[in-house]
Amino acid sequence: MAEGRFAPGARVRTFLHDPPHHTRLPRYARGKRGVIVEPEGPDELPDISARGRGDAPVEQIYAVRFEARDLWGEGDHQVVLDLWESYLEEDRDDER
């Protein structure tokens, strides 16, 4: 997979889920809104590969910027996380 779904500047929301297995989507960032900074290239989805399976899909990884206050309720700085494409959906909510 060479190209991803999201362009720099796209508004996204992370999925709000709590899988019973390893995930690289931090709990504090689940269900939160962010902005794509840039695509960082493809890699295997660790949620699958960490379980020793050989069928992990390769997905685009994105640098995603979040406002600290959106993650923790306070802070005037920003946080950038590297997140796999399947953790993200387009943020269609106009209430920002």
Side-chain angles (χ1 to χ4, degrees):
M1 175 169 147
E3 298 277 330
R5 284 185 6 208
F6 303 108
R11 294 185 339 182
V12 294
R13 182 188 295 260
T14 61
F15 282 107
L16 180 59
H17 71 293
D18 190 18
H21 53 75
H22 171 81
T23 182
R24 294 293 302 269
L25 177 56
R27 190 173 307 276
Y28 63 81
R30 295 177 191 173
K32 304 297 182 174
R33 292 181 173 126
V35 176
I36 299 294
V37 176
E38 64 183 357
E40 296 196 328
D43 200 1
E44 285 187 355
L45 180 65
D47 300 47
I48 305 295
S49 61
R51 291 187 273 168
R53 294 175 41 185
D55 62 341
V58 173
E59 296 184 4
Q60 184 65 255
I61 301 169
Y62 295 92
V64 183
R65 183 179 60 244
F66 298 89
E67 297 296 327
R69 70 181 163 275
D70 292 341
L71 298 177
W72 299 296
E74 61 181 307
D76 59 359
H77 61 285
Q78 298 175 331
V79 176
V80 176
L81 300 173
D82 293 338
L83 300 175
W84 274 255
E85 188 168 275
S86 63
Y87 300 161
L88 305 170
E89 62 186 350
E90 182 180 351
D91 182 11
R92 298 172 189 254
D93 189 354
D94 292 332
E95 295 180 20
R96 274 200 68 110

